[in-house]
């Protein structure tokens, strides 16, 4: 049986009992018992009689698709909440023509109960409208967050090799430029931070190559 095992941030590999060749299709079972057909890439490491392979879903589902689905779900919730907010607002306009006259409540009059009831109902409806508008805003914000996440390339994707090769050259050139004086050092730690970024990107590049080259 092949299962998922976490390798590093955002990256899960296939934990297999048998050896497989690159390009082999295998079924990998999630912790919830769902089977996903995956394509074998590289043997990442061996441990305790198991073989750990980098994989991608055969159906093309990846982190980008996951993020887009999350964004779509939150957008649907935002739209639903906005509709509720609009419906409650429209309902809160009941008796508007009468209430806008600001007539005082006539104590003891047969209209008193209806007058008070109308004010209370509309107040509650407006409160519900505001509540749903706030929820819609929260969902909209999360939808935007996941849309942005969908544009991120991480180590779970084969294209991360090319991406981190580019990033490594970029941060390395900037670091060298700080040393040579080509770029201005904005503070006393500019060179230190630039070197740290070079090291971090290089580690990611090495991981990307191990996973996908």
């Amino acid at each position: 049986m092949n299962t998922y095992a976490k390798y590093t941030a955002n990256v899960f590999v296939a934990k297999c009992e048998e050896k497989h060749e690159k390009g082999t299709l295998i079924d990998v079972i999630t912790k919830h018992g769902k089977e996903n057909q995956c394509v074998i890439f590289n043997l990442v490491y061996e441990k305790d009689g198991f073989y750990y392979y980098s994989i991608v879903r055969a159906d093309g589902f990846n982190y980008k698709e996951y993020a887009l689905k999350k964004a779509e779900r939150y957008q649907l919730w935002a739209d639903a909440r906005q509709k509720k907010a609009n419906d409650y607002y429209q309902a809160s306009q009941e008796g508007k023509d009468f209430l806008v006259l600001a007539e005082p409540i006539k104590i003891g009059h047969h209209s008193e109960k209806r007058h008070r009831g109308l004010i209370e109902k509309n107040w509650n409806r407006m409160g519900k409208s505001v509540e749903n508008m706030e929820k819609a805003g929260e969902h909209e914000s999360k939808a935007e967050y996941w849309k942005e996440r969908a544009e991120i390339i991480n180590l779970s994707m084969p294209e991360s090799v090319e991406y981190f090769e580019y990033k490594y050259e970029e941060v390395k050139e900037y670091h060298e430029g700080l040393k040579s004086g080509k770029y201005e050092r904005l503070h006393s730690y500019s060179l230190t931070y630039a070197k740290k970024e070079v090291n971090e990107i290089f580690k990611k590049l090495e991981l990307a190559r191990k996973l996908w080259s």
Side-chain angles (χ1 to χ4, degrees):
M1 181 174 68
N2 308 309
T3 57
Y4 287 95
K6 189 167 185 178
Y7 180 61
T8 188
N10 300 313
V11 181
F12 284 84
V13 294
K15 178 182 178 182
C16 305
E17 297 173 343
E18 301 176 356
K19 275 191 171 182
H20 298 287
E21 295 294 324
K22 186 169 185 173
T24 302
L25 284 174
I26 62 169
D27 289 326
V28 184
I29 301 174
T30 70
K31 64 180 180 180
H32 301 298
K34 181 184 177 182
E35 287 190 1
N36 294 319
Q37 192 174 61
C38 299
V39 181
I40 292 285
F41 262 71
N42 296 333
L43 176 63
V44 180
Y45 66 98
E46 297 179 39
K47 184 179 179 181
D48 299 330
F50 290 97
Y51 305 92
Y52 294 80
Y53 292 95
S54 56
I55 52 173
V56 293
R57 288 265 294 265
D59 60 4
F61 188 85
N62 57 19
Y63 180 82
K64 182 181 180 71
E65 292 298 318
Y66 172 79
L68 288 173
K69 283 184 179 296
K70 291 276 284 188
E72 181 181 8
R73 189 177 303 120
Y74 277 115
Q75 188 61 58
L76 286 173
W77 291 344
D79 292 344
R81 286 286 189 170
Q82 187 60 56
K83 183 179 183 306
K84 281 187 177 181
N86 293 340
D87 290 343
Y88 275 117
Y89 174 77
Q90 291 301 323
S92 74
Q93 301 304 297
E94 181 184 353
K96 176 183 175 182
D97 292 342
F98 166 71
L99 293 175
V100 77
L101 297 174
E103 287 282 345
I105 296 174
K106 298 174 182 177
I107 308 300
H109 192 268
H110 66 82
S111 65
E112 178 186 356
K113 184 177 180 180
R114 179 180 178 278
H115 197 158
R116 290 186 186 278
L118 183 60
I119 292 173
E120 184 177 358
K121 276 196 301 183
N122 286 349
W123 176 260
N124 291 335
R125 288 163 174 169
M126 184 58 75
K128 289 288 187 181
S129 177
V130 172
E131 178 185 330
N132 277 280
M133 282 182 67
E134 290 174 349
K135 285 291 184 181
E138 291 175 13
H139 291 321
E140 188 76 41
S141 177
K142 289 178 180 178
E144 288 301 316
Y145 168 81
W146 283 106
K147 286 176 187 175
E148 291 176 6
R149 297 291 295 177
E151 301 304 315
I152 294 174
I153 295 176
N154 62 40
L155 289 167
S156 71
M157 309 170 185
E159 55 265 39
S160 64
V161 176
E162 184 178 357
Y163 173 75
F164 285 115
E165 283 177 343
Y166 168 78
K167 287 297 293 181
Y168 178 61
E169 292 302 321
E170 183 180 56
V171 297
K172 190 170 65 170
E173 192 275 335
Y174 179 67
H175 177 248
E176 292 298 326
L178 286 175
K179 288 199 295 185
S180 68
K182 178 180 178 181
Y183 301 119
E184 179 186 357
R185 300 187 190 187
L186 300 178
H187 49 74
S188 59
Y189 289 99
S190 291
L191 194 60
T192 301
Y193 290 157
K195 178 59 177 174
K196 182 181 178 183
E197 187 172 17
V198 168
N199 293 338
E200 289 176 349
I201 295 296
F202 182 68
K203 286 178 182 177
K204 289 182 178 180
L205 175 56
E206 286 188 314
L207 278 172
R209 285 171 172 168
K210 187 173 185 180
L211 288 162
W212 309 115
S213 289

